[in-house]
């Protein structure tokens, strides 16, 4: 087994679960082991694997529900064909930001944004890259504008 997929998973898990675990790598390893037991062939799975993302998001949401001071919202841009358009990006994020508004600490996980802009069977063009960069800027600006100054929002892209 190469260490690269496992190392990538641990970095992802450490970043995602840091608000709950305090950047404890030992806990990130235990979380990785827990997810690996639920997924087949876990050692080959990367953080961009849809099954790994779904299992991680479910676990994180479950942990956040036990901690009333931390909110969580997962927006999957690739869930339908409209995720790459600015209008639907804004609508999806506003739904999440409204849910996260009451929390002093929260995490907003954005997944499959690259795939929504350029499916795997297509190649990146200058226009697709500009649209992707514009979507990233829109998400960052919207999160900054719609989050209370006293709140701490962790914005993660995968």
């Amino acid at each position: 087994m190469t260490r690269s997929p496992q190392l990538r998973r641990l970095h992802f898990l450490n970043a995602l679960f840091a608000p709950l675990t305090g950047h404890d790598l030992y806990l990130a390893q235990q979380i990785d082991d827990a997810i690996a037991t639920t997924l087949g062939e876990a050692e080959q799975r990367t953080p961009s694997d849809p099954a790994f993302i779904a299992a991680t998001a479910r676990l994180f949401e479950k942990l956040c529900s036990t901690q009333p001071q931390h909110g969580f919202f997962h927006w999957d841009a690739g869930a339908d064909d409209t995720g790459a358009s600015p209008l639907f990006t804004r609508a999806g994020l506003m739904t999440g930001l409204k849910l996260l508004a009451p929390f002093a600490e929260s995490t907003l996980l954005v997944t499959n944004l690259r795939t929504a802009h350029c499916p795997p069977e297509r190649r990146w063009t200058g226009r697709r890259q500009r649209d992707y960069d514009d979507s990233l800027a829109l998400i960052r600006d919207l999160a900054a504008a719609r989050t209370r100054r006293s709140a701490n929002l962790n914005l993660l892209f995968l």
Side-chain angles (χ1 to χ4, degrees), residues 48-67:
S48 58
D49 184 320
F52 182 79
I53 292 170
T56 304
R58 281 192 307 272
L59 179 61
F60 193 83
E61 188 171 18
K62 189 181 289 188
L63 286 173
C64 285
S65 69
T66 64
Q67 296 191 2

Side-chain angles (χ1 to χ4, degrees), residues 112-132:
N112 296 318
L113 189 62
R114 288 184 65 82
T115 306
H117 281 280
C118 185
E121 65 275 0
R122 303 271 174 95
R123 65 182 192 96
W124 279 95
T125 61
R127 181 174 183 215
R128 283 192 176 120
Q129 185 65 46
R130 279 190 308 277
D131 290 346
Y132 174 70

Side-chain angles (χ1 to χ4, degrees), residues 19 25-26 89 131 155:
L25 291 175
Y26 177 72
T89 297
D131 290 346
L155 182 58

Side-chain angles (χ1 to χ4, degrees), residues 21 30 50 52 79 91 100 109-110 112 115 120 129 131 133 155 158:
T21 64
Q30 289 191 333
F52 182 79
L100 298 176
L109 176 63
V110 178
N112 296 318
T115 306
Q129 185 65 46
D131 290 346
D133 292 339
L155 182 58
L158 182 63

Side-chain angles (χ1 to χ4, degrees), residues 2 9-11 14-16 19 22 43 63 76 78 84 91 102 104 110 123 127 135-136:
T2 63
R9 285 194 318 270
L10 288 175
H11 281 292
N14 191 41
L16 180 62
E43 56 273 351
L63 286 173
D76 185 359
V110 178
R123 65 182 192 96
R127 181 174 183 215
S135 290
L136 287 174

Side-chain angles (χ1 to χ4, degrees), residues 1-11 43-47:
M1 173 181 116
T2 63
R3 300 290 292 170
S4 180
Q6 182 183 20
L7 187 59
R8 289 179 59 206
R9 285 194 318 270
L10 288 175
H11 281 292
E43 56 273 351
Q44 285 89 21
R45 295 188 186 266
T46 63

Side-chain angles (χ1 to χ4, degrees), residues 12 16 47-48 53-54 57 60 72-79 83-84 88-90 92-94 96-97 100 106-117 132 135-143 153-158:
F12 167 69
L16 180 62
S48 58
I53 292 170
F60 193 83
F72 175 72
F73 184 77
H74 174 213
W75 181 64
D76 185 359
F88 289 100
T89 297
R90 181 177 172 78
L93 288 176
M94 285 305 294
L97 292 170
L100 298 176
S106 57
T107 301
L108 175 60
L109 176 63
V110 178
T111 57
N112 296 318
L113 189 62
R114 288 184 65 82
T115 306
H117 281 280
Y132 174 70
S135 290
L136 287 174
L138 172 71
I139 292 168
R140 288 182 185 121
D141 293 345
L142 191 60
L153 174 68
N154 299 304
L155 182 58
L156 296 172
F157 294 95
L158 182 63

